[in-house]
Amino acid sequence: MDEEYDVIVLGTGLKECILSGLLSVDGLKVLHMDRNDYYGGDSTSLNLNQLWKRFRGEDKPPAHLGASRDYNVDMVPKFMMANGTLVRTLIHTDVTKYLSFKAVDGSYVFSKGKIHKVPATDMEALKSPLMGLFEKRRARNFFIYVQDYNEADPKTHQGLDLTTMTTRELIAKYGLSDDTVDFIGHALALHRDDRYLSEPAIDTVKRMKLYAESLARFQGGSPYIYPLYGLGELPQGFARLSAVYGGTYMLNKPDCKVEFDMEGKVCGVTSEGETAKCKKVVCDPSYLPNKVRKIGKVARAIAIMSHPIANTNDSHSVQIILPQKQLGRKSDMYVFCCSYTHNVAPKGKFIAFVSTEAETDNPESELKPGIDLLGQVDELFFDIYDRYEPVNEPSLDNCFVSTSYDATTHFETTVTDVLNMYTMITGKTVDLSVDLSAASAAEEY
């Protein structure tokens, strides 16, 4: 332990593990420590006994729920966009060889009190019950414009400059109704609130293209994929990668104390009386509480069920987005469901999560619109946790702190934070222009 490292990473959450892997591949000497005796930090997966202990205290789970070891319940449930940044990062680092993925069955949106499949192409728009006949034609024209749009080819821009034009102005050109704009912005472009309407349209168009390309990738009912055995596999995959490149891992290290020199720059980490020297520290907010500020709370419900969610075509894995406007809220609500087909529960069992950025201190009543969609549940757990972001200046103290996980049920925001941190730490960008067909592990089997 009494050695010098280029970087010490504290916490084995997904963000920290991706960074540890990327930095190790770059040839940096990395020490990775965690106060817990398990991988994953906040983004770990729990078996049934661990879930019970966390939410119900000392009671034992009832026998009818099945074997504890058959459960892998994610604490930060998120799907991956098949063509998205996380999959590109997995391929770039070759972590795909440690994981197996399966496509997610369905992607739905809540509109006017009902669940509808999200239409992602011009042909699906024509079939969707979300819109009337004339609105379908307008939406189809908009989808065709987005599908044909190529940033590098001005001929496809039809005279519009999407870097200056706002999303609201672009949508106005196609005369789309508020409800159509709602599902395009929140269920396709995956914006979390309505600020995007006043921002340049290029971002929304790129997000819609990512959704459509991801959907086409596996010809499934959704653009998402998800690892077998749950997300707890991901941090471990990156931990293995780091180890292959010479990174050192130490779990169960209590009281990791970050040490600073006279100038306020980080110089090492002390645990159990030993200090490891380093030039930089990467960590989650819990390791440097005086360098972060609270930015909100996530309210979440976790349900164990014996059936799929109604009106989702019996999907064994599904995402439903409830846009803020449909609920009279300031932020969206997300329903995420997976099951024994992804090896996260015993046969016949489903695990559903409802999450949102908390606007009250009462998660039970706040999450009701999402919970109502689930139907009969065997068990229901409620959780609320604070979200933090760093307020320090890394160029002055060499501390790189990740932002807490948000309520979204997909990984795009998570990986954006990681790649920004990587650039701050190294001054480089990760080349993600990878051959996506290399993700053979991510194919259906």
Side-chain angles (χ1 to χ4, degrees), residues 156-220:
T156 65
H157 301 184
Q158 296 181 15
L160 307 179
D161 181 357
L162 300 192
T163 59
T164 56
M165 183 180 219
T166 66
T167 312
R168 187 179 278 110
E169 289 164 344
L170 176 63
I171 283 166
K173 279 195 117 39
Y174 287 88
L176 301 177
S177 76
D178 282 356
D179 284 326
T180 305
V181 172
D182 223 18
F183 86 72
I184 286 174
H186 293 263
L188 278 175
L190 302 176
H191 291 292
R192 290 178 285 168
D193 51 44
D194 278 341
R195 279 180 306 201
Y196 75 95
L197 289 167
S198 310
E199 292 167 356
I202 183 74
D203 178 45
T204 296
V205 167
K206 282 182 174 170
R207 285 164 171 253
M208 288 178 69
K209 288 178 83 67
L210 171 63
Y211 188 102
E213 287 157 9
S214 297
L215 184 69
R217 176 115 184 260
F218 295 129
Q219 306 292 314

Side-chain angles (χ1 to χ4, degrees), residues 65-106:
L65 292 177
S68 169
R69 67 172 180 277
D70 289 340
Y71 284 86
N72 291 293
V73 183
D74 293 326
M75 289 298 97
V76 181
K78 291 177 189 285
F79 290 135
M80 290 173 215
M81 210 45 120
N83 268 22
T85 19
L86 181 52
V87 170
R88 287 171 184 273
T89 308
L90 291 170
I91 296 167
H92 169 79
T93 54
D94 214 16
V95 167
T96 39
K97 65 172 176 250
Y98 302 126
L99 302 158
S100 294
F101 293 93
K102 198 168 185 306
V104 170
D105 295 337

Side-chain angles (χ1 to χ4, degrees), residues 8 47 58 66 102 147 153 226 254 262 286 290 296 303 358 400 425:
I8 295 180
N47 65 30
E58 290 310 304
K102 198 168 185 306
Q147 280 159 16
D153 180 3
Y226 183 71
M262 304 293 279
S286 69
N290 59 339
F400 302 86
I425 295 163

